[in-house]
Amino acid sequence: MEFLLEIMTEEMPASHVTSAVDQMKERMGKELAAAGIQSARLDVFGTSRRLAVAVEIKAGQEDAEEWVTGPPKSVGLRPDGTYSPAALGFARSQGIAPEILEVTTTARGEYLGFKRVRKGRSTAEILQDIVPRIVGSLAFPKTMRWAGGSFRFSRPIHGLLGLLDGRHLPIRLPEGTESKPFTSGHRIFDRRRVTPKTIAEYFDLLKEHGVIVDPDERRKMILNQIEEHLSPLDAKIHPDPELLEKLVYGVEYPCMVIGGFPEAFLKLPLDVLSTAMREGQNVFSVVRGKKQLPHFVAVADALKDGKNLIRKGNERVLKARLEDARFFWEQDRKVPLARRAVELKNVVYQEKLGSYEDKTQRLKKIVVYLWDKVGPDSGRDHVLEAAALCKADLLTEMVKEFPSLQGRMGGLYARNEGRPGPVAQAVFEHYQPVGPADESPASLPGAVLSLADKLDALVGAVGIGVQVTGSSDPYGLRRNAHGVCRIILDKKLRFSFNRLIDKALSVYGDRMTLDRKEIKARCLEFFTGRLRHLFELMGYRYDLVNAALAPGIDGIYDAYLRVKALDGLRSGSQFEPFILMVKRINNILRDQITAKPNPDLFSEKEERDLQAAFLAVLNNALPMIAKGDYGRAQNIIFKLQPCLTAFFDKVLIMAEDKNIRRNRLGLLKSIRDLLEKVADYALIVVD
């Protein structure tokens, strides 16, 4: 059976549409599964004015057999086997003859009862039940009420289409909207009624009426139109995936418009031009290589721009915005960054954590510490200078107008002042990566400054009691933690992360409200969670990730090397037998007292062999671990397996003599201590 649902609303923000699409798909799948309805297809689509659900499902629930329990046997049956009034009353209340009652044994004893076939509900009944519940449960950043009702949604709902196998399915939403067997086309160009009978017909008819329901098709249309118009210019749009998605979900029928602006604005930096075009006006800048061209690309919700009104309107507004940007660029450069940095003492960073001047002083201390750990002998002065200037652009008019340019404007102004290239680049890059798809800083000074900035923000927020929940992250702590992990992995930085947190805590002095040990523990737990998420996104198996993270995250890059090594070794023939061997060691050592191995107490050949093999492996594996070569270290450790097998086969570990027993257990503990430097193998799942 096909089920088609469409909710038509007033124009919704693109972010609301994408959020609602994800929520509806998840909840519809769960509700159908909970109702026992199998679905062969479940797709949810969104445009700026409608959410559509297309499902292919099985027709109704299957009948189910259930057991209805009556009174206990001791109450329901007399000694002569006849039914008591209690059993007769139960049968009467259930509408059955007493002879149908059977005796069954339960955990509470023997009871009378009977089997009953519960007829499955129809698909229509189930959908009429779950659709209003799903629609009423959708969450949006901001919601509206309308017509005096209390129901809230992203925007007022204007229509509801419900079709089940080509027939109208009556559905009533919580705010009173009732479904119809029809919908309508594009709100401006073709508002005629559309009456589809199937899902395929729904897509085809709406397309004929100016609505492309599938966002993938709209995205493809936009990219094809851009390619068609810009190829003759040997140009491309400045890459902006976020803007592209916003435009895909912000229209019902994408129409690309190419416009221009005076070449005099090309003197502005590319970052300024592209930001001025994107923010507020949602248009792409057009580039050839890394050079901006005097053109832009807009995407309108229209069939065509026959009279060029859309192009002219965009050009008029964009010219005004670029005039503003040029004014800011010229005015801001009249005041050097160093003079602006002095005024940061008057800008509050966070009420409990001080001003931006305080933050700058903390960053200077952290970057010096970190540079000494990961940087070359030269370059320390550059990263220190960058730390002193990196927040100064917050006081520029350009950043006040375009907040997303913070950091980048500082870098551009620093370069314009003739400051050293590494300083300007570090300031420019110190917010990177801004999001999961953003790149890490290209330069080491930029990476060090970005790490210091993000860690200072995270430690400070945790230190004053800010907590991240599933729905709330007001300080962007997940993004900061993700950025710290990404930079360390991308730059292959090996240093003690625990000590870096200690440093970040120490520079805060007494501003924290929580105990330092508690703050550090919370930070490490938070970073461990983000690393686990990051590794799983990379495709590593969850149990390998858990095993690699078990030794701790003092070396974040080492944790990555450990999970990478485990993933590379898991298909080898030695892997699973060795894992089982390690689990056996852990089981033997559980709750046992051990002693430091004494060679004089080894009486059996197999334990002497194991001790010798262990020392040889230890001497060879530790240098590999110190270098981060966990794959080779693991291969060396595998060589213990024959000796361990012989040890388990020939030696009585739990000997009656206490000293011998503890000595043998101590040898196993030494081996386990070595293994735990690589991973907690006990966490790896073996079939």
Side-chain angles (χ1 to χ4, degrees), residues 45 64 191 226 270 272 463 497 604:
F45 307 90
R191 303 188 70 163
I226 290 174
L270 175 58
V272 174
F497 191 64
E604 305 289 344

Side-chain angles (χ1 to χ4, degrees), residues 494-495 548 551 555 557-559 561-562 565 569 614 616-638 640 670-679 681:
R494 299 188 73 204
F495 61 89
Y557 186 60
D558 277 48
L561 294 175
R562 289 196 294 268
L569 292 167
F614 168 67
V617 165
L618 185 69
N619 291 332
N620 286 287
L622 287 181
M624 297 295 107
I625 294 172
K627 290 193 296 185
D629 192 348
Y630 290 95
R632 289 182 63 190
Q634 181 61 75
N635 278 320
I636 293 171
I637 292 172
F638 280 159
L640 283 173
S670 300
I671 294 171
R672 188 178 68 178
D673 290 345
L674 171 63
L675 298 176
E676 287 180 347
K677 294 180 184 299
V678 180
Y681 295 93

Side-chain angles (χ1 to χ4, degrees), residues 299-311:
V299 177
D301 190 8
L303 301 181
K304 60 181 180 179
D305 185 23
K307 297 181 179 179
N308 290 322
L309 296 177
I310 298 173
R311 177 180 63 79

